[in-house]
Amino acid sequence: MTVKDKNILIGITGGIAAYKICELIRMFKKNGANVKTVVTKNALEFVTPLTLQTLSQEAVYTEQFVTEDRKPEHIALCDWADIFVIAPASANTIGKIANGICDNLLTSLACAYQKQIIFAPAMNTGMWNNKAVRQNISFLKSTGAVFVEPESGYLACGTEGKGRLADINSIYEAAYNCISNNEFLKGKKIVITAGGTKENFDPVRYIGNYSSGKMGTALADRAFEAGADVCLIKTFPLERSYSTIDVQSAAQMLDAVKQEFADADILIMTAAVADYRPEKTADLKLKKDTTEELVLKLVKNPDILSEMCKIKKEGQTVIGFCAESNNLLEYAKQKIQKKNCDYIIANDISRKDTGFSSDYNEVFILDRDLNIKKLEKDTKNNIAKKILESIWQKPAI
Ligand code: PMT
């Protein structure tokens, strides 16, 4: 993977380090990337549009409301860019982006941009240590933004301390890594199940559970970003640009998984599949005046995960989840062996702040040798990213 033919958007904010970005543009261009620059008004105090235009061989974007092709620039540039590097990133711009403020083209772009943003901050040491700035940076990190930390040393304001723009090579490398990492699932078909199954006992009533589908959707979204051919089999309404299949019961989910897993490389069973279903489903709505008691007989559902592990071919990877309210790791170890899958992602569903329906999760990844890796509490988006990266990018555990 190289940066050749990749579209790099560089955002430049007001700071003396802005002049160093000329060298960054040259590096990207030398390695075959397309570069466009978006600059704040303050940045233009330090570097001229003519310099940036000459180096990038592209127009320099400054105004929010001027459009060449009638498409709002912040949308057109977002579509175009494979990565957005903000360097130098001032405390002011970091603060605005962390708080969703869009008062110029650069901050509007950052707000609308759905792919990876890299910040290379540069500022005075006092500003770097300021509590509000620290909070803004840690919030942006929690959303998945990458920060190339500033260096310590002599600063342009005449003091010594942390705040000097990171070496240009480090910023280039961070962008290069994100671009290569971005597509680490390219060429792989991944099937993911999400949501709780619904098992009807009459046409309008069912036995279900509290799974919202957030964890499975986060995995599918991140896998799609990583270049995978994604098929999300789900029990809830959701529009996506990748392939999705709607199912309701465990039996329907089994059929869809069987069909899609046949030519897939990876299956992740995030869905909360009902272990039991009513033995009979009434054709008509059950009437409450016909009986004082309603006794439902439940029969076992097929175990989709175990079934897929039985027919799994060489080269296919199957990952199960394990939802427990006690003895989490003990049960997870038993499950990976009993169901015979390659990995189990274990989460504690007794907690209110993670697991079912929450936007957050904390998980353990177990492999077949029972190595365990803990992913500390984080947003489901970040946990999904870390699960995929842990298994496919780096030595697993
Ligand atoms: O959807 P959210 O609100 O975001 O919540 C996420 C989650 C808590 C549902 C998710 O993180 C999770 O833990 N999913 C697995 C839920 C579950 O059914 O766990 P289990 O331990 O009962 O089952 C173990 C594995 O077997 C799971 O991969 C499950 O999909 C699979 N299974 C279970 C029963 C069955 N009949 N067939 C199966 O394939």
Side-chain angles (χ1 to χ4, degrees):
M1 168 68 70
T2 67
V3 297
K4 189 165 174 349
D5 297 329
K6 294 288 172 190
N7 295 334
I8 318 286
L9 181 63
I10 302 184
I12 308 174
T13 74
I16 182 63
Y19 80 90
K20 297 184 182 172
I21 305 311
C22 298
E23 191 51 38
L24 184 65
I25 299 171
R26 268 171 51 80
M27 265 173 125
F28 280 121
K29 290 294 289 180
K30 212 171 91 188
N31 288 291
N34 308 309
V35 178
K36 289 186 180 181
T37 51
V38 51
V39 291
T40 62
K41 231 164 131 189
N42 288 342
L44 291 175
E45 303 287 334
F46 297 94
V47 65
T48 70
L50 185 61
T51 313
L52 300 173
Q53 189 179 312
T54 310
L55 291 171
S56 65
Q57 293 156 354
E58 290 278 356
V60 176
Y61 295 83
T62 50
E63 298 299 328
Q64 189 156 8
F65 302 107
V66 178
T67 60
E68 278 168 13
D69 56 1
R70 298 184 194 283
K71 199 173 180 188
E73 265 172 9
H74 66 287
I75 302 301
L77 283 170
C78 282
D79 290 347
W80 176 84
D82 293 312
I83 196 157
F84 187 11
V85 182
I86 303 180
S90 65
N92 181 43
T93 293
I94 290 172
K96 286 182 192 173
I97 296 171
N99 289 284
I101 295 170
C102 315
D103 62 349
N104 60 35
L105 182 59
L106 192 155
T107 50
S108 304
L109 274 160
C111 188
Y113 195 64
Q114 303 274 303
K115 292 166 256 177
Q116 186 70 62
I117 302 187
I118 296 179
F119 290 87
M123 61 194 75
N124 158 277
T125 309
M127 292 166 94
W128 176 253
N129 290 330
N130 177 283
K131 282 195 179 128
V133 175
R134 306 298 333 135
Q135 193 173 315
N136 290 332
I137 291 176
S138 67
F139 170 71
L140 288 169
K141 282 184 180 171
S142 80
T143 66
V146 167
F147 274 76
V148 187
E149 294 274 310
E151 293 174 352
S152 295
Y154 178 74
L155 303 178
C157 56
T159 58
E160 291 262 344
K162 191 164 179 176
R164 199 169 66 186
L165 185 75
D167 180 61
I168 291 300
N169 288 305
S170 313
I171 303 172
Y172 177 86
E173 220 167 87
Y176 173 87
N177 284 341
C178 286
I179 288 170
S180 358
N181 292 348
N182 271 350
E183 301 210 324
F184 63 92
L185 288 176
K186 202 172 176 71
K188 301 221 181 280
K189 174 173 173 183
I190 180 162
V191 179
I192 298 172
T193 63
T197 62
K198 297 185 174 97
E199 312 293 331
N200 280 86
F201 55 91
D202 80 5
V204 292
R205 301 184 184 98
Y206 60 83
I207 296 175
N209 61 65
Y210 288 109
S211 169
S212 61
K214 287 178 187 173
M215 190 68 243
T217 304
L219 279 162
D221 288 350
R222 301 290 81 74
F224 183 66
E225 276 173 16
D229 167 15
V230 176
C231 175
L232 177 66
I233 299 172
K234 60 186 180 65
T235 60
F236 49 91
L238 178 81
E239 294 282 326
R240 281 297 185 269
S241 53
Y242 49 78
S243 153
T244 59
I245 298 177
D246 288 307
V247 296
Q248 188 170 316
S249 64
Q252 289 169 353
M253 187 173 276
L254 174 64
D255 287 346
V257 169
K258 235 190 224 164
Q259 174 92 21
E260 293 300 323
F261 184 53
D263 64 348
D265 301 283
I266 301 159
L267 168 66
I268 308 185
M269 286 293 304
T270 320
V273 185
D275 287 322
Y276 294 91
R277 68 177 185 280
E279 185 183 39
K280 290 185 189 132
T281 308
D283 290 333
L284 298 174
K285 183 185 169 200
L286 296 174
K287 302 294 285 173
K288 69 172 183 286
D289 43 3
T290 55
T291 172
E292 273 312 298
E293 278 188 342
L294 178 64
V295 178
L296 289 177
K297 184 173 174 195
L298 302 180
V299 293
K300 236 181 176 172
N301 263 331
D303 190 306
I304 305 173
L305 181 59
S306 302
E307 292 300 311
M308 293 307 109
C309 289
K310 280 183 205 151
I311 60 168
K312 147 174 128 71
K313 295 178 284 219
E314 203 171 325
Q316 288 184 310
T317 305
V318 177
I319 301 174
F321 266 71
C322 171
E324 297 292 346
S325 36
N326 62 327
N327 295 333
L328 179 62
L329 284 178
E330 208 40 54
Y331 288 136
K333 285 177 192 168
Q334 290 171 17
K335 242 170 231 184
I336 195 168
Q337 277 159 345
K338 190 165 167 231
K339 302 210 181 200
N340 202 22
C341 47
D342 299 296
Y343 295 92
I344 278 276
I345 314 295
N347 48 195
D348 180 345
I349 49 159
S350 66
R351 289 172 59 167
K352 290 269 173 291
D353 61 333
T354 58
F356 275 111
S357 294
S358 169
D359 287 332
Y360 293 84
N361 213 354
E362 180 173 289
V363 305
F364 295 89
I365 306 176
L366 281 79
D367 69 13
R368 288 194 62 79
D369 297 326
L370 302 185
N371 295 309
I372 299 174
K373 177 176 180 174
K374 185 178 183 189
L375 300 181
E376 296 291 346
K377 183 179 164 184
D378 206 337
T379 58
K380 281 185 174 163
N381 278 335
N382 283 344
I383 290 286
K385 191 163 180 268
K386 288 176 194 168
I387 290 172
L388 298 177
E389 286 174 356
S390 300
I391 297 177
W392 282 283
Q393 258 196 306
K394 298 166 189 131
I397 294 173

